[in-house]
Amino acid sequence: MSVGHDHPGGRLSTPPRSEVTAILHRLARDPGASPEDAERLLALVYDELRALADALMRRERPGHTLQPTILVHDAWLRLVDARGVDWQDRSHFFGIAARAMRQLLVDHARKRLAVRRGGGGWTRVSLSEAEAATADDVEVLALHEAMLRLTAVDPRAARVVELRVFGGLKVEEVAHLLGVSPRTVDGDWSMARLWLKRELAGPT
Amino acid sequence: MIPDRYPRVRAIVLAALAAPHAAREALLDEQCAGDASLRAEVESLLAQESGSSTPADLLRPGGRLDRMAARPPGEEAAARAPARIGPYRILGLLGEGGMGRVYLAQQEEPIRREVALKLVQRGLDSRRVLERFALERQVLARLDHPAIARVLDAGSDSEGRPWFAMELVAGESLTEYCDAHSLGVRSRLELFVRVCAAVQHAHQRGVLHRDLKPGNILVGTQDGAAVPKVIDFGIAKALDPSEGPEASMTQEGQWLGTPDYMSPEQAGLLDTPVDTRSDVYALGVILYELLAGVRPVTPASHFLRSGERDARVDVVPPSQAWRTSVAERPGSDSHGDRDRRPRRGLAGDLDTIVAYALRTEPHRRYPSVEHLADDVRRYLAGLPVLARTDTWWYRTGKFATRHRIPLALAAAGVLWLGGFAALSVRQAERVAQERDRARAAEHSARLEAETARQVSEFLVALFEASEPGETKGAERTARELLDRGRERLEERLVDQPLVRARLLMTVASVYQQLVLLEPAEEAARRALALRREASTDTSADVAESLDLLATLAHDRGEVEAAAELSLEALAIARRARPAAHPIVIAALTGHSTNLQVQGRYDEALALRREALTLAQQVHGRDHAEVGYLMQDLGYLEARSGRPRAAVPLYRQALTTQRRLLGPRHPDVIDALNGLAMALVDLGAHAEAESLFRAGLAHAAAVHGADGPYAARALMNLGRCLVLQGRSAEALPLCQRAAEIHGRVLGTRHRHYASALLGVARAELGLRRFAAAERHAREVLAIRLEALGPDGVGVGLARMIVAAARESQGDVAGAERLLREALELHRRQYPDGHPDRIDNLEALARLLHSSGRADEAAGLLAEAASLRRALESPLAAPSAAAVAR
């Protein structure tokens, strides 16, 4: 499947496919062996996601809300040679991409809010879009901070949210990646949602 | 919260979530065992399950978080899914069926939305499929029912496979839903009746479904209530090769519907046409399945399985089938426990209802879906069902047989377009017999023109009738009337493509007048296609269609596309009609407009003048068209910075047009607006204001206070007020104009930009500099994007930004912006223009106040000479501008 034409006008460089695929293989064989590999992969995926998001922003309207799972999926298609990878590689990739995506959204939201508070640029945002985007940005940051607090009490549940929301992983894939049963993931998900919702609803 | 306690809290919460609602209280009592703070903690979490949350959409069940998580574009689907189909971006696979795959897809233009996209895999002739769909399309467009999912679009992919884009419906199939929610018989019947209402709605509008089955009826949940939606309306017909004039083959082996739900006539087992009662039959099978849990053996399904043609297969009554099916599945009661009483009734009235719907001969079934639904309702209300009363049945059956008229006709109601069309067809036929082909074509062209004239008049009459005050209580909008007209057109003239094209063009023009750009484009494109396919020379007509399409592109703000289309139209028109001819005039005018939008005023003026000369030859001096062209020339003169030349042209145009068109005609409102604008440029603000107010009143009366005409009048009135220093009055007017344009035309349209610039100018006057700058920058961005760096009004937007920057203390930034604007204005308006003069004066003022008087003087001298050249009465006070 060709993805190239999916980003017309986007000045995307050639993605470092073979490197990403190789790192994934190494990680899949022994996840703990090389922390540098994981770091390197995170950086590569983050850069790719940002390039994709920027291309999307240029092409689409500036106030556009990024859809994490689709973006992550695009990054997967661009970064990984699908013929050479298996299901485990995929889980690892999306596990890392979820973190990168969350970071990207948070950075993005912070930047936009900062701009709107008085920085330059971004003049192409129209009134209604600016309002919508602001609401989204505030939401993203609030969710991010609530997730940080959740991590303190229930790190796995927070990770489940990250993997599902920012990585687009299915329950089974999350279960596999975290080495728990799908049932546990379901429980984490239900609990995290209630917990985050209460957290975001206001001061406890 | 105490972190140590979290595991305990979590365990109790998850246990409570898993427990039935009724048992929760007891569970909490037991688990929390008197620990009040533990209990409070648990309850505060459980309370989130249903309560509304602050980030409204993010965390509620089914909200954004869930949707984000629930939409992993699975790699299996992606591996096979194309990245795009037509204009849609494929996001994932929704399902797969016998006909093909259904994808989740995103539409990006003209609006962003997600749709269900059905890609048909069968080896069908997609051109024919699309032709049939095109014929059906307008009919489908009028289906507007909450329980019908709309078919939005169709096309074929690169491999020639047809696809259909549909409203995205979240839900399960009817039978899955009923089983999953353990609905009792009563709830099932209530749901069924709602499905019937949707099908009946379509039947009343001449649309059969032809492939009704539980899988095409999706049930979702909204606010806890079941919401059914019927999908795929019109698709079975488009996919049926036996539809349309090319049908010749036998019906066998070409089934498109699902045989299990198919009527005997649809399966070709009876020699009767497919009509509404075929859908009644399918609904009968669905009702059967809902009640009995299994599908009946019907003649069609029997034929498919055994190859035996037997239209008289006995259908086992659902009550008996129910017993059997329950016996086969001991312990599983898929119909819920609460509602045993109605099921006992199965043997009686419900059996009868189903049996009547499933009669083999169409004329012995319920004559309409409504009759079927009525009987189900009567059953639900405890009334005797009518299917049992044989005399009623006999009478209705007889009636239906005797009065069997084509469905489309029955649904038609008023046949106004049909009248004209039939007349023209008959005459054209006679003519064709009498004369040779060429003369017949010429003659029929005249007939077509006559037809169009009549239709136009009729439409105008319709719109006048929709003006408030002239209708007496009838709440019909112009759009409704027009849609109805277009629908009529669909049913006529299939064999008269050129007459049909003519009528489509008429309809398209009126849509365009009403700023309903999408249906206008659709109609015009179809007309163009019909004309291009014609075997005779239709180049003048092709030019006409291109011209209208150019106008529509222009209306959408697609400047370059519009100019390309209009240039093509003009070239074709000149070739087709060397002498003075209305189509050449129209093409000249159209292309002139598109050049004008790009700021090429001199070329635009030359084309308009040529058009005026031709128009006077063709029409004489006293003609609306001539008045129109004068008005346009007035506009161009004004825009070129010669308001003094514009005013008499406008006044002359207005005299002609008021008399010929009446005071409320859109063109008259236009001319009034133009005259007032020119007066503004001449500094005659008071007269201009009164004209704008008159225009606003007319526009609001004719097109509604929310329409684009009203928006334009508001915007210009606002601008006029700003120029008089009355910004406080102006601001709400401009804001309202921006709001209307933004809503109707979108926030990238140049009209929206103009209105927003009015807002910015008023804000400037009110010393709200930050807001003014923000809005002016937005205008600048829109114009740069739509028109490029040299676009009309780009300089003006920069000037407003500059004014806002300067007022906020950024003199250097303001100077830079003013110089950029001036550079453009000097190139754009070599002969001078109010914008260029204002620009010079603004820059001069800035330089003067920052101590660079010499430089300022040079600019002021330039401004003064330009004013003199423009014969403006404002020439004198130019030097005084510095004093401000």
Side-chain angles (χ1 to χ4, degrees):
Chain A
M1 160 176 164
S2 155
V3 206
H5 68 277
D6 215 354
H7 301 285
R11 289 174 292 279
L12 293 175
S13 57
T14 316
R17 261 183 180 230
S18 50
E19 185 182 358
V20 170
T21 310
I23 295 179
L24 272 181
H25 281 315
R26 286 202 294 277
L27 282 177
R29 270 198 303 280
D30 188 358
S34 169
E36 309 90 69
D37 267 350
E39 293 254 316
R40 172 78 185 137
L41 184 56
L42 183 65
L44 286 171
V45 174
Y46 183 91
D47 287 348
E48 182 64 22
L49 285 173
R50 200 178 56 187
L52 284 168
D54 286 351
L56 211 63
M57 288 299 181
R58 272 200 302 278
R59 191 160 46 95
E60 321 230 319
R61 311 191 59 172
H64 176 73
T65 312
L66 295 169
Q67 281 184 303
T69 55
I70 291 168
L71 214 53
V72 167
H73 184 73
D74 280 352
W76 162 257
L77 292 170
R78 281 179 52 83
L79 283 175
V80 181
D81 185 355
R83 282 164 306 184
V85 295
D86 61 14
W87 198 72
Q88 293 204 343
D89 296 332
R90 186 180 185 280
S91 293
H92 275 284
F93 177 87
F94 280 79
I96 280 172
R99 181 139 297 164
M101 188 68 228
R102 179 177 167 190
Q103 191 58 51
L104 178 74
L105 281 178
V106 167
D107 290 349
H108 187 73
R110 285 199 180 123
K111 197 167 86 191
R112 287 206 301 195
L113 287 173
V115 164
R116 224 163 280 115
R117 285 189 205 105
W122 287 98
T123 50
R124 289 171 66 220
V125 180
S126 77
L127 296 178
S128 57
E129 280 173 341
E131 275 157 29
T134 306
D136 272 350
D137 293 338
V138 171
E139 241 177 46
V140 163
L141 292 182
L143 176 64
H144 171 67
E145 277 153 27
M147 280 171 69
L148 289 179
R149 292 194 290 277
L150 177 61
T151 306
V153 293
D154 192 345
R156 196 187 56 214
R159 181 71 174 141
V160 165
V161 173
E162 184 175 80
L163 290 169
R164 294 202 61 199
V165 170
F166 298 110
L169 288 184
K170 295 175 196 157
V171 171
E172 302 74 49
E173 292 170 321
V174 174
H176 169 82
L177 197 67
L178 300 181
V180 296
S181 72
R183 221 182 123 81
T184 306
V185 173
D186 275 335
D188 282 343
W189 177 250
S190 304
M191 188 62 196
R193 199 171 58 194
L194 296 182
W195 200 93
L196 290 171
K197 199 169 160 190
R198 188 186 62 179
E199 199 71 6
L200 290 171
T204 34
Chain B
M1 120 152 20
I2 308 156
D4 294 349
R5 206 170 58 189
Y6 178 80
R8 180 93 193 107
V9 171
R10 176 185 158 120
I12 300 173
V13 167
L14 290 180
L17 285 178
H21 231 280
R24 263 192 199 177
E25 199 64 19
L27 186 136
L28 294 185
D29 285 344
E30 187 202 32
Q31 296 282 325
C32 297
D35 184 342
S37 83
L38 176 64
R39 172 127 191 187
E41 173 78 30
V42 168
E43 280 182 341
S44 76
L45 283 165
L46 287 173
Q48 305 302 323
E49 202 190 353
S50 54
S52 66
S53 66
T54 320
D57 189 40
L58 194 63
L59 289 164
R60 79 183 157 72
R64 233 177 64 221
L65 199 66
D66 275 359
R67 288 204 305 277
M68 281 156 92
R71 198 168 44 201
E75 76 269 45
E76 315 86 351
R80 291 178 302 169
R84 280 184 176 280
I85 295 178
Y88 300 91
R89 186 178 132 106
I90 301 305
L91 303 179
L93 186 68
L94 286 175
E96 220 165 344
M99 239 186 245
R101 295 199 183 110
V102 183
Y103 293 107
L104 172 67
Q106 183 165 45
Q107 181 179 8
E108 284 163 358
E109 293 290 335
I111 49 165
R112 290 182 67 89
R113 61 177 163 194
E114 284 176 359
V115 301
L117 197 135
K118 176 170 269 190
L119 184 64
V120 180
Q121 306 282 20
R122 300 166 52 109
L124 289 171
D125 180 344
S126 70
R127 196 174 57 86
R128 293 251 187 256
V129 169
L130 293 177
E131 269 171 19
R132 284 189 296 264
F133 181 73
L135 290 175
E136 189 79 351
R137 190 179 181 132
Q138 311 295 322
V139 187
L140 292 176
R142 64 181 135 160
L143 296 188
D144 184 13
H145 192 277
I148 293 179
R150 302 189 71 112
V151 179
L152 305 166
D153 198 3
S156 60
D157 72 354
S158 53
E159 291 166 43
R161 293 173 298 189
W163 53 260
F164 299 90
M166 277 168 289
E167 182 189 332
L168 182 63
V169 180
E172 304 160 87
S173 86
L174 180 63
T175 42
E176 278 168 12
Y177 181 92
C178 288
D179 291 346
H181 293 75
S182 310
L183 294 192
V185 171
R186 174 163 286 268
S187 312
R188 284 168 192 247
L189 291 177
E190 282 162 0
L191 210 48
F192 178 77
V193 166
R194 289 166 69 191
V195 172
C196 287
V199 177
Q200 175 69 13
H201 172 91
H203 284 180
Q204 280 166 345
R205 281 151 190 79
V207 183
L208 296 182
H209 192 291
R210 299 148 63 104
D211 191 17
L212 284 168
K213 56 185 173 187
N216 278 341
I217 301 164
L218 299 183
V219 187
T221 315
Q222 221 167 58
D223 304 324
V227 179
K229 260 194 201 258
V230 185
I231 62 170
D232 279 9
F233 256 110
I235 289 181
K237 185 176 185 184
L239 293 176
D240 185 351
S242 66
E243 266 298 316
E246 76 275 20
S248 59
M249 59 294 274
T250 60
Q251 304 239 327
E252 278 169 63
Q254 296 178 345
W255 292 352
L256 282 141
T258 316
D260 283 351
Y261 301 90
M262 193 177 272
S263 62
E265 67 272 19
Q266 228 173 332
L269 297 172
L270 292 176
D271 192 20
T272 44
V274 172
D275 64 15
T276 47
R277 291 165 301 186
S278 309
D279 279 352
V280 169
Y281 191 94
L283 285 167
V285 179
I286 293 169
L287 181 57
Y288 190 110
E289 189 177 1
L290 283 176
L291 296 170
V294 293
R295 290 187 283 270
V297 175
T298 64
S301 64
H302 176 70
F303 171 51
L304 183 81
R305 293 195 178 90
S306 66
E308 283 173 41
R309 280 173 159 275
D310 185 357
R312 256 150 294 277
V313 170
D314 284 331
V315 173
V316 180
S319 57
Q320 286 177 32
W322 160 247
R323 284 182 210 112
T324 322
S325 84
V326 168
E328 281 166 4
R329 293 175 294 166
S332 85
D333 184 350
S334 67
H335 290 70
D337 282 324
R338 269 175 281 172
D339 211 2
R340 289 216 168 261
R341 190 190 47 78
R343 206 179 310 126
R344 277 202 302 275
L346 269 187
D349 287 345
L350 287 177
D351 273 0
T352 316
I353 291 173
V354 171
Y356 269 112
L358 293 183
R359 290 257 172 118
T360 296
E361 300 83 0
H363 68 268
R364 296 185 59 222
R365 289 175 213 149
Y366 286 104
S368 76
V369 174
E370 199 169 16
H371 285 94
L372 167 60
D374 270 351
D375 240 9
V376 175
R377 269 189 229 107
R378 293 181 69 82
Y379 171 83
L380 285 169
L383 297 169
V385 302
L386 292 174
R388 276 199 182 282
T389 45
D390 280 345
T391 46
W392 170 84
W393 185 245
Y394 175 79
R395 275 207 310 274
T396 334
K398 275 286 258 237
F399 179 85
T401 320
R402 213 166 35 223
H403 296 273
R404 220 175 62 211
I405 43 178
L407 174 67
L409 267 178
V414 191
L415 296 169
W416 59 271
L417 260 178
F420 300 119
L423 176 76
S424 134
V425 171
R426 262 200 312 282
Q427 291 181 345
E429 276 167 3
R430 210 179 312 128
V431 168
Q433 286 161 3
E434 286 166 8
R435 300 171 205 276
D436 64 66
R437 200 179 170 79
R439 292 188 61 190
E442 192 62 37
H443 192 104
S444 83
R446 248 180 292 141
L447 279 176
E448 285 171 28
E450 175 61 14
T451 310
R453 196 185 59 77
Q454 291 192 37
V455 172
S456 295
E457 277 175 18
F458 196 93
L459 288 170
V460 169
L462 279 180
F463 298 135
E464 279 167 0
S466 71
E467 261 181 55
E470 290 191 34
T471 41
K472 305 224 166 18
E475 290 203 5
R476 286 222 176 83
T477 65
R479 164 108 206 223
E480 281 165 6
L481 290 162
L482 193 54
D483 285 348
R484 221 177 52 197
R486 193 175 55 159
E487 286 156 19
R488 303 283 165 276
L489 193 47
E490 278 316 304
E491 292 150 12
R492 318 257 158 269
L493 297 169
V494 178
D495 50 349
Q496 284 275 301
L498 292 180
V499 179
R500 189 145 168 241
R502 162 66 53 211
L503 293 170
L504 278 166
M505 285 298 292
T506 307
V507 169
S509 317
V510 184
Y511 273 123
Q512 190 262 333
Q513 297 277 315
L514 291 169
V515 206
L516 297 165
L517 303 182
E518 215 174 303
E521 172 96 16
E522 211 168 87
R525 288 226 172 264
R526 294 190 56 204
L528 178 63
L530 289 170
R531 287 169 167 183
R532 281 200 157 136
E533 279 165 18
S535 47
T536 49
D537 175 30
T538 54
S539 48
D541 291 338
V542 166
E544 184 206 29
S545 294
L546 284 167
D547 181 62
L548 181 59
L549 285 166
T551 308
L552 290 166
H554 165 272
D555 289 352
R556 283 193 306 270
E558 292 164 13
V559 177
E560 278 166 31
E564 268 170 41
L565 284 162
S566 61
L567 186 61
E568 190 186 351
L570 180 56
I572 294 175
R574 281 196 204 269
R575 269 204 308 279
R577 297 281 185 272
H581 187 276
I583 184 59
V584 181
I585 298 169
L588 282 165
T589 315
H591 192 49
S592 165
T593 304
N594 292 323
L595 293 175
Q596 158 197 326
V597 173
Q598 293 177 314
R600 295 154 71 178
Y601 289 125
D602 291 343
E603 293 162 80
L605 266 168
L607 290 178
R608 274 290 202 311
R609 289 205 186 98
E610 185 187 344
L612 179 61
T613 312
L614 293 181
Q616 284 170 339
Q617 285 171 26
V618 174
H619 304 299
R621 293 191 172 268
D622 198 29
H623 189 275
E625 182 74 32
V626 172
Y628 213 161
L629 282 161
M630 273 190 217
Q631 176 183 340
D632 292 346
L633 281 170
Y635 176 80
L636 280 169
E637 293 286 9
R639 287 298 307 208
S640 307
R642 291 185 288 274
R644 192 153 283 249
V647 168
L649 284 162
Y650 273 129
R651 290 205 198 274
Q652 213 178 328
L654 266 172
T655 315
T656 312
Q657 295 192 333
R658 274 211 180 102
R659 192 162 39 76
L660 293 174
L661 306 171
R664 284 186 166 186
H665 193 277
D667 295 345
V668 174
I669 298 174
D670 260 346
L672 214 54
N673 181 62
L675 176 57
M677 301 261 282
L679 289 168
V680 168
D681 285 345
L682 288 172
H685 296 305
E687 188 188 350
E689 185 185 332
S690 72
L691 290 177
F692 281 135
R693 289 200 189 276
L696 177 60
H698 288 319
V702 179
H703 301 282
D706 278 349
Y709 280 96
R712 188 186 61 185
L714 283 166
M715 180 176 89
N716 289 331
L717 180 57
R719 178 167 165 261
C720 180
L721 292 170
V722 168
L723 290 172
Q724 296 175 66
R726 292 152 68 187
S727 298
E729 284 170 74
L731 184 59
L733 302 178
C734 294
Q735 282 170 333
R736 177 111 188 82
E739 190 262 314
I740 295 171
H741 279 321
R743 183 163 38 75
V744 177
L745 301 167
T747 53
R748 288 169 127 179
H749 196 280
R750 59 197 176 82
H751 289 349
Y752 169 74
S754 299
L756 196 61
L757 196 66
V759 172
R761 296 177 108 170
E763 284 165 342
L764 214 49
L766 293 170
R767 312 190 56 77
R768 298 183 192 164
F769 301 123
E773 180 182 347
R774 201 169 63 240
H775 293 139
R777 280 197 192 277
E778 187 186 340
V779 174
L780 182 59
I782 296 170
R783 287 182 174 170
L784 282 173
E785 189 179 315
L787 309 170
D790 289 355
V792 176
V794 164
L796 184 60
R798 281 217 172 87
M799 285 165 62
I800 307 298
V801 179
R805 291 304 305 163
E806 188 183 356
S807 305
Q808 293 173 97
D810 176 17
V811 178
E815 184 184 337
R816 201 169 52 244
L817 284 157
L818 284 173
R819 287 195 190 276
E820 276 180 81
L822 186 59
E823 190 269 327
L824 172 60
H825 280 148
R826 279 182 174 144
R827 267 189 294 126
Q828 218 163 29
Y829 307 122
D831 302 329
H833 184 280
D835 288 352
R836 180 173 161 192
I837 296 169
D838 286 348
N839 195 165
L840 284 162
E841 289 173 355
L843 185 54
R845 255 197 321 276
L846 182 142
L847 293 169
H848 193 269
S849 61
S850 52
R852 285 177 279 170
D854 289 351
E855 229 180 314
L859 294 172
L860 283 176
E862 186 184 336
S865 81
L866 288 173
R867 280 202 193 279
R868 274 192 298 279
L870 292 177
E871 304 171 296
S872 162
L874 299 182
S878 193
V882 182
R884 266 193 264 160

